[in-house]
Amino acid sequence: MNSAAARFRPRDLVEVELDLGSSRPNPQWWLDTRAARRLLVAVDAAPHADASRVENDPGYRGLVVSVSDGRIIRIRRGTIEVTGETGVAEPIRRADPDRALERWLLDTGRTMIGDPEYAAVTAGFEQ
């Protein structure tokens, strides 16, 4: 598999959605070129993880990243799952053990996320 850095093109569009699992629309935002590159490089550099299932919180189901090349990256509870990777049938699972990438990505959309939602999501980081 090629590295994300080698495959990243400045014209790649990267959209992030905070999946809250509620009846209200989920906050969404776009990453600028620098943030998109940082994200894709960090995902590529993250250590591989086992295929264990991550339980969802009914109020926070993670961050869903849609890349214009068709990849979907879901980051939640210290786990990164990449689907749509060219030539790879199964999802690629990686670890974000201290949730640093998840926290950083959440902060890129801070202006799009209401205070109650942000507080609820970040409170879960301490558990």
Side-chain angles (χ1 to χ4, degrees):
M1 174 173 49
N2 295 332
S3 75
R7 290 179 294 134
F8 179 77
R9 302 166 302 188
R11 68 181 179 275
D12 282 337
L13 299 175
V14 178
E15 181 182 34
V16 181
E17 177 179 349
L18 176 59
D19 189 352
L20 295 171
S22 69
S23 59
R24 297 189 338 217
N26 289 326
Q28 297 176 322
W29 62 96
W30 294 93
L31 296 181
D32 63 26
T33 302
R34 173 183 258 161
R37 183 177 184 82
R38 178 177 172 181
L39 170 70
L40 297 176
V41 167
V43 167
D44 191 52
H48 287 277
D50 66 18
S52 63
R53 185 172 171 87
V54 176
E55 295 299 320
N56 282 325
D57 176 325
Y60 170 60
R61 297 188 298 195
L63 294 154
V64 180
V65 178
S66 301
V67 184
S68 60
D69 66 5
R71 284 176 288 165
I72 303 294
I73 304 166
R74 181 176 286 273
I75 302 172
R76 65 184 184 273
R77 294 185 154 194
T79 301
I80 303 165
E81 184 177 273
V82 182
T83 57
E85 188 74 50
T86 303
V88 180
E90 294 295 316
I92 298 167
R93 291 186 178 80
R94 297 188 176 269
D96 181 24
D98 59 2
R99 298 178 80 173
L101 183 59
E102 187 175 3
R103 290 170 196 261
W104 171 81
L105 187 57
L106 181 68
D107 285 342
T108 67
R110 182 61 186 102
T111 60
M112 302 300 294
I113 304 166
D115 290 337
E117 292 84 6
Y118 186 82
V121 170
T122 56
F125 286 164
E126 305 311 318
Q127 298 173 355

